[in-house]
Amino acid sequence: MSKAGARLIKNLTEAGAPLDTEGDSATFNFTISPVSSFDVDSRLIIDYSQKMRHAARKSAFSKDFSLASILLIPVVLNPSLAKVQGAKRFKKKENSYAIKRNIDFAEWQSASQAKRKKILLHFMRGVVGDIPSKYISEPDRETLLRTVLDCV
């Protein structure tokens, strides 16, 4: 870890910020990090990300599962404020896969809480399905999808 990173963690810890140190020793980390504009209620995504992170660490992946982490970035932005293109990227050095994808702003804003869960589930199925098979086997993809369904 860099000196700047260590200093940041020290400052956050001293300020009482909750840090997930369990992830430091985990063999696999699954992170959902939403990006949203100020006018978006993203609590459902944040709550889901907490459940999913812990559940994914306990999932029974095959011994051939090699990814160290998966990062999903759901983007819910007011189009009048900003537009972000989706992206997929494998980071060889970190052995991680990241996917950034938009969730339709108007649909999210007008949806009830129950409908937002369905939108989030559809998003999750899509991004897990988008991970190329050279990085995740079909049995491990199914394990991850079951974990996704269990957390909604």
Side-chain angles (χ1 to χ4, degrees):
M1 177 182 305
S2 69
K3 288 181 183 179
R7 195 169 40 251
L8 176 62
I9 289 174
K10 180 180 180 246
N11 290 341
L12 288 169
T13 303
E14 289 172 356
L19 297 177
D20 177 20
T21 56
E22 178 185 327
D24 295 345
S25 61
T27 57
F28 173 68
N29 281 298
F30 188 94
T31 304
I32 302 170
S33 183
V35 174
S36 61
S37 48
F38 68 92
D39 54 349
V40 172
D41 181 1
S42 56
R43 285 179 294 190
L44 176 68
I45 300 171
I46 293 166
D47 291 345
Y48 178 77
S49 72
Q50 298 294 319
K51 289 180 196 173
M52 189 62 199
R53 182 181 68 223
H54 294 293
R57 287 183 188 152
K58 296 175 184 171
S59 292
F61 294 106
S62 73
K63 63 181 167 100
D64 298 326
F65 187 71
S66 63
L67 284 175
S69 66
I70 296 174
L71 169 63
L72 303 182
I73 305 169
V75 180
V76 189
L77 292 174
N78 186 329
S80 67
L81 300 174
K83 292 184 181 176
V84 174
Q85 286 191 333
K88 296 184 257 184
R89 182 175 172 195
F90 176 70
K91 294 184 175 185
K92 187 174 184 177
K93 185 177 180 182
E94 299 171 11
N95 194 28
S96 67
Y97 201 82
I99 299 176
K100 176 174 54 176
R101 183 184 284 175
N102 289 298
I103 293 176
D104 184 81
F105 173 80
E107 183 181 16
W108 185 265
Q109 289 296 85
S110 65
S112 65
Q113 196 73 351
K115 176 68 175 163
R116 285 181 180 175
K117 283 184 178 182
K118 289 180 182 178
I119 294 168
L120 183 59
L121 180 60
H122 179 74
F123 171 86
M124 293 298 297
R125 282 183 173 153
V127 292
V128 170
D130 274 357
I131 300 170
S133 57
K134 72 183 206 177
Y135 302 118
I136 187 169
S137 68
E138 287 310 308
D140 286 328
R141 186 185 314 277
E142 290 300 317
T143 299
L144 189 54
L145 284 170
R146 275 194 306 280
T147 305
V148 163
L149 292 172
D150 290 345
C151 290
V152 174

